[in-house]
Amino acid sequence: MAWWRLLVVVLVSGAVTVVALRDDSDPLAQGAATGFVFHDKDRDGVRDPGEPGLGGVRVSNGEDIVKTDRDGKWSLPVDDDTAFFVVKPRGWMTPTNEHNLPKFYYIHKPKGSPSVRYGGVEPTGPLPASIDFALTPQAEPTKFKALFFGDTQPRDAREVDYITHDVIEPLVGKTDAAFGVTLGDVVFDDLSQFDRLNKVIALIGIPWYNVLGNHDINYDSDGDHHSDETWERIYGPNYYSFDYGPTHFIVLDNINWHAAVTGTPGRYTGGLGETQLSWLKSDLALTPNDQLVVLMMHIPLHKAEDKEKIFRLIENRPYALSVSAHEHYQEHFFFTEKDGWRGPKPHHHVVNVTACGSWWQGAPDERGIPHTTMRDGAPNGYSVFTFDGNEYSIAYRAAGRPESYQMNIYAPDNASAGE
């Protein structure tokens, strides 16, 4: 959409003519998008008269990050494949959809996604004159809890039912967590299961964020850039950030898809790439150094090709934590100099417990649900993170077991009596 100025010219003959001149001061004429972040007083998602803009809120296009001015206005560069998103500030919340998925973004794809098996974003048409992000106030205490699922990973509807009864059902109406996160491999290659699983997780009744995993991508895409078209249709950007309470959460996409070429099958590697690294650097630069930062990813940090570039961005921050999944076991890493870390103290990286255990395998229990222990022998489950200022603690929850179930000790059936 272009803006035009009208120039009225009075000719010598007395005739009047109107000339339309393109106004290059208009951001849209210069390849930029604009909009507002506003207080959505009636919670309808639309900026109505009397709903004020909110200043100082971060907005990004996946490369650049700006803060809204005093009126809540922002402007960012745009091309024909841009995901705009607001960085949710403390004390405010974006709308959520019917599956409790946060609506914090606008996808601009005038021609839609390339053709992929599981469907991408439909054509969005011309750039809107104003892309507005709605926020409503909410209480966010300094101390709060969040649920972390690793690898829910159902292949089909039957395995979605396993998740429903083994993991979700005991949480419905019984958790005091502020929000939840699935740390990638939301499904197992069949992306048509996204919606079915989203409906189930929504029963927990809290906002739910998602991280892209290697089993969540379009394997039929022609490269990494288009490997998340179905993901964008359902969840939005493949990386983003938000604040809750005093904590800054950063969702990263560390899945690089290398499409098949003649004689070579497609494959993935772990890493962020230069564009995302640049965005991460900008995001951290706008985050106070005394604020706890939580990086959430799918592939463990030490397996990323550009791990040391990530280390350089966070190693001098006094409060940083990173969390992944992918391995189907639990592990705690404390990166030091031998790992390429140069910070004054070790960096804590958590490989989170997986909800599916080992891909929903094992003999069925009395409920018909597999005894799907993880690769380390521990039961499938999830983690409850408690954040309190710059401190945190982690509690393991075994699926289908009470909170007190934390350990098994096995002993032989028979033992010889000592002399």
Side-chain angles (χ1 to χ4, degrees):
M1 175 180 178
W3 289 0
W4 302 84
R5 289 180 288 116
L6 299 181
L7 177 63
V8 179
V9 179
V10 180
L11 303 179
V12 175
S13 62
V16 177
T17 186
V18 177
V19 180
L21 300 177
R22 188 180 181 94
D23 185 354
D24 288 329
S25 66
D26 166 30
L28 298 185
Q30 300 178 39
T34 63
F36 290 86
V37 178
F38 68 98
H39 179 183
D40 187 16
K41 292 183 176 181
D42 58 4
R43 297 175 179 264
D44 67 351
V46 177
R47 192 182 187 202
D48 303 309
E51 294 186 324
L54 300 173
V57 180
R58 284 177 274 181
V59 179
S60 179
N61 60 2
E63 295 187 29
D64 311 289
I65 305 174
V66 296
K67 287 187 176 183
T68 56
D69 67 16
R70 59 187 296 178
D71 297 318
K73 188 174 183 179
W74 60 270
S75 177
L76 282 163
V78 63
D79 60 23
D80 286 343
D81 189 356
T82 304
F84 297 100
F85 57 90
V86 62
V87 178
K88 187 196 86 63
R90 180 179 186 176
W92 295 87
M93 184 57 194
T94 64
T96 56
N97 68 10
E98 68 276 17
H99 297 153
N100 282 331
L101 300 176
K103 295 167 62 178
F104 59 94
Y105 59 87
Y106 175 80
I107 304 292
H108 177 62
K109 290 182 188 281
K111 299 179 181 179
S113 296
S115 177
V116 286
R117 177 182 178 186
Y118 294 104
V121 178
E122 292 295 320
T124 58
L127 187 70
S130 185
I131 300 171
D132 300 332
F133 294 111
L135 294 175
T136 54
Q138 67 176 5
E140 294 184 4
T142 297
K143 185 176 182 179
F144 63 93
K145 295 178 182 177
L147 303 180
F148 281 70
F149 289 2
D151 299 66
T152 40
Q153 208 164 347
R155 296 176 177 84
D156 49 35
R158 180 183 62 175
E159 293 186 352
V160 172
D161 286 344
Y162 294 159
I163 299 168
T164 304
H165 299 297
D166 199 33
V167 180
I168 305 303
E169 199 171 78
L171 284 166
V172 176
K174 297 178 181 177
T175 181
D176 57 352
F179 62 88
V181 181
T182 300
L183 295 161
D185 284 0
V186 177
V187 296
F188 199 164
D189 298 344
D190 182 354
L191 308 190
S192 68
Q193 301 302 322
F194 278 144
D195 286 334
R196 181 176 282 111
L197 180 60
N198 291 337
K199 290 177 183 178
V200 168
I201 293 179
L203 296 174
I204 300 174
I206 56 178
W208 205 269
Y209 296 90
N210 290 274
V211 177
L212 181 71
N214 54 287
H215 287 286
D216 301 322
I217 62 176
N218 299 101
Y219 293 137
D220 54 339
S221 65
D222 57 4
D224 186 64
H225 182 70
H226 293 302
S227 65
D228 59 349
E229 297 296 327
T230 302
W231 182 272
E232 287 189 1
R233 174 171 61 84
I234 296 173
Y235 301 110
N238 52 329
Y239 56 90
Y240 54 94
S241 62
F242 62 95
D243 285 341
Y244 191 96
T247 307
H248 185 60
F249 295 90
I250 304 175
V251 170
L252 297 173
D253 167 12
N254 68 350
I255 311 299
N256 286 326
W257 174 242
H258 308 271
V261 295
T262 304
T264 304
R267 63 187 180 90
Y268 69 89
T269 56
L272 302 186
E274 292 304 319
T275 298
Q276 192 176 175
L277 278 168
S278 177
W279 171 85
L280 176 59
K281 181 178 181 180
S282 298
D283 184 82
L284 290 169
L286 293 170
T287 303
N289 208 44
D290 60 354
Q291 187 172 6
L292 173 61
V293 169
V294 181
L295 279 68
M296 302 178 291
M297 62 201 72
H298 180 62
I299 295 176
L301 184 53
H302 59 283
K303 292 192 171 182
E305 294 176 329
D306 41 20
K307 70 172 185 179
E308 294 206 23
K309 292 182 179 179
I310 302 171
F311 285 171
R312 300 294 86 81
L313 295 178
I314 61 174
E315 61 195 2
N316 290 316
R317 301 186 67 91
Y319 308 105
L321 166 71
S322 55
V323 191
S324 67
H326 186 62
E327 299 291 359
H328 297 263
Y329 54 71
Q330 301 178 87
E331 190 165 5
H332 293 262
F333 288 88
F334 293 89
F335 296 131
T336 61
E337 187 176 355
K338 66 180 177 59
D339 304 300
W341 178 263
R342 301 175 189 167
K345 63 179 183 179
H347 174 71
H348 187 192
H349 180 82
V350 180
V351 179
N352 199 69
V353 55
T354 53
C356 76
S358 292
W359 306 275
W360 298 110
Q361 298 183 90
D365 63 13
E366 67 278 7
R367 303 168 298 170
I369 298 172
H371 281 94
T372 183
T373 56
M374 293 184 292
R375 293 166 62 200
D376 59 2
N380 66 310
Y382 58 93
S383 296
V384 180
F385 282 63
T386 300
F387 298 96
D388 187 0
N390 289 321
E391 299 180 351
Y392 59 89
S393 61
I394 307 169
Y396 161 63
R397 297 285 185 264
R401 306 276 189 168
E403 287 186 19
S404 59
Y405 183 81
Q406 293 289 307
M407 181 183 297
N408 276 333
I409 298 176
Y410 296 95
D413 293 334
N414 299 292
S416 300
E419 295 183 0

